[in-house]
Amino acid sequence: MGSDYNHYMRRLLATIGIIAIAVSVFLLFWHLAYVLVLLFGGALFAVFLVGLASPLQAFIPLPRWSLVLLVAIVFTGLLLLAGYLAGPAVADQMVQLSEQLSGGLNQLESYLKQQTWGEALLKWAQEQWQQAPLSPGKLMGQVTGAFSTIFGAVADLFVMLFIGFYLALHPKPYVQGFLFLFPREKRDRLNEVMSSVYHALKWWLIGRATSMAAVGLLTAVGLWLLDMPLIMALALLAGLLSFVPFIGPIAAAIPAILVGLIDSPNQALYVVLVYFIVQLLESNILTPYVQKQAVSLPPAVMLSGQMLMGAVFGLQGLALSTPMLVSMIVVVQMLYVCDVLGEKIRPLGQ
């Protein structure tokens, strides 16, 4: 009896200890969520730079770090050139867009208040929006002070860019330092997992960049056919926000619909039709073609991940939810499905 009791107590204490460690790790990650999201954003930018620099090694006989530097310089130069050529016009249209959005919202609210069902709809919408997991109050309540201002958002962006640049420039010390945290016999496998995550993220970025460019161009053409104002600003928003699947296109369509509403309700309906057609083309023609090589996730998985990441990590988590999911799925596929369950599957991106 005594030995059984001692064995039981050892198992009980070991279980309590494991639970305590798991809870401690969870709380640590919870409090460091903001920093971890910034680090992941930097790693994603590093994947972008290395993904562009690696193919150049077949044509330019230079070390990879110098090609990464060359890619960063060219990328920065192109951004500055685009800002010099189109920046003033886009900035002016953005200012006009903010003014027209205010007018469009007021016009929509006035129209709804004139209807018998409008008051009830407005009240219901406000209640539902405040209770939603991704409502502004809840999102901003989870975002640290650095994201409470535009200056903070820009500062966070620069932090991610600098982290990504230095990771891409000399990745080996960071990779080795991470691997040294694990037993020697596990390092080769973990290195394979990290390589698979890199390839999956690279192909996901290729697919997403292609979709963003296509959505921006198709939106500009559609709005031009409708003779809409502020085409550059609206098309730029559509392209950039399509980085976040599902939620991004909806968020991009709202300003365009409000601008169209200022002209007439019919124009707003035409704008809805344009955005619907663009998303139909992107989802059923462009995306399946690109995803023959690029990484794809089931829609329900992506949407669930966006809701979860947005509720837990705030706006940063919502923006980076899909690449985070890609990374986690690859890790689970290789370390659990393959190594623990013994199944033979191809990880994402391979």
Side-chain angles (χ1 to χ4, degrees):
M1 289 292 294
S3 61
D4 292 340
Y5 175 78
N6 292 333
H7 179 67
Y8 170 77
M9 289 302 298
R10 283 197 298 269
R11 292 185 60 184
L12 178 62
L13 292 175
T15 303
I16 294 174
I18 292 173
I19 295 174
I21 292 173
V23 171
S24 301
V25 171
F26 174 79
L27 292 176
L28 178 63
F29 274 85
W30 179 273
H31 288 291
L32 294 178
Y34 168 72
V35 177
L36 294 174
V37 170
L38 285 184
L39 291 176
F40 181 82
L44 191 63
F45 183 62
V47 171
F48 169 76
L49 292 177
V50 174
L52 291 177
S54 296
L56 296 178
Q57 287 184 302
F59 307 99
I60 304 176
L62 291 174
R64 191 171 68 173
W65 70 266
S66 59
L67 294 177
V68 169
L69 183 60
L70 177 63
V71 167
I73 292 173
V74 172
F75 179 70
T76 304
L78 290 176
L79 286 180
L80 293 176
L81 180 62
Y84 174 76
L85 295 177
V90 173
D92 181 62
Q93 289 197 13
M94 285 295 184
V95 173
Q96 296 180 45
L97 178 61
S98 65
E99 296 173 353
Q100 293 204 22
L101 287 181
S102 178
L105 285 172
N106 292 333
Q107 186 171 337
L108 178 61
E109 185 176 2
S110 300
Y111 172 77
L112 290 176
K113 287 182 177 179
Q114 293 172 4
Q115 309 301 317
T116 55
W117 48 268
E119 287 283 356
L121 179 61
L122 280 175
K123 183 178 179 181
W124 177 84
Q126 291 172 354
E127 292 176 352
Q128 294 301 315
W129 183 241
Q130 292 301 322
Q131 295 173 6
L134 298 180
S135 64
K138 294 181 181 179
L139 281 175
M140 296 310 295
Q142 295 170 1
V143 181
T144 59
F147 263 93
S148 61
T149 63
I150 295 178
F151 176 80
V154 173
D156 289 334
L157 178 61
F158 273 103
V159 168
M160 287 189 287
L161 294 179
F162 274 108
I163 291 174
F165 174 72
Y166 284 110
L167 281 175
L169 203 61
H170 296 291
K172 191 174 181 179
Y174 305 102
V175 174
Q176 288 183 341
F178 176 76
L179 293 177
F180 283 157
L181 298 175
F182 299 90
R184 189 183 301 273
E185 63 274 10
K186 302 292 185 182
R187 292 173 189 171
D188 289 340
R189 180 56 174 168
L190 288 174
N191 194 38
E192 293 177 5
V193 173
M194 294 174 67
S195 178
S196 296
V197 170
Y198 160 75
H199 285 290
L201 290 176
K202 181 184 72 172
W203 283 112
W204 180 85
L205 282 172
I206 291 174
R208 202 71 253 156
T210 305
S211 296
M212 290 170 66
V215 166
L217 180 60
L218 291 173
T219 302
V221 172
L223 296 179
W224 175 74
L225 292 175
L226 293 180
D227 196 25
M228 281 278 291
L230 311 177
I231 292 177
M232 292 178 63
L234 293 173
L236 181 63
L237 278 178
L240 291 177
L241 290 178
S242 64
F243 180 82
V244 184
F246 297 114
I247 296 177
I250 295 174
I254 293 174
I257 295 170
L258 292 175
V259 171
L261 188 63
I262 295 176
D263 187 345
S264 68
N266 287 337
Q267 184 77 336
L269 289 176
Y270 292 144
V271 171
V272 172
L273 184 61
V274 165
Y275 277 78
F276 176 76
I277 292 174
V278 169
Q279 288 305 310
L280 201 63
L281 293 173
E282 192 269 338
S283 301
N284 295 282
I285 297 178
L286 178 64
T287 298
Y289 176 76
V290 173
Q291 287 176 350
K292 290 179 181 178
Q293 291 294 332
V295 171
S296 63
L297 294 177
V301 174
M302 279 196 290
L303 189 57
S304 301
Q306 287 173 348
M307 300 296 289
L308 177 62
M309 298 295 181
V312 174
F313 298 118
L315 292 176
Q316 320 101 301
L318 177 61
L320 298 174
S321 58
T322 308
M324 284 182 178
L325 279 175
V326 169
S327 303
M328 288 188 286
I329 288 173
V330 172
V331 172
V332 171
Q333 285 179 327
M334 297 188 69
L335 295 183
Y336 180 69
V337 178
C338 292
D339 293 357
V340 177
L341 300 182
E343 300 288 342
K344 294 182 179 180
I345 61 171
R346 292 181 59 187
L348 288 176
Q350 295 185 11

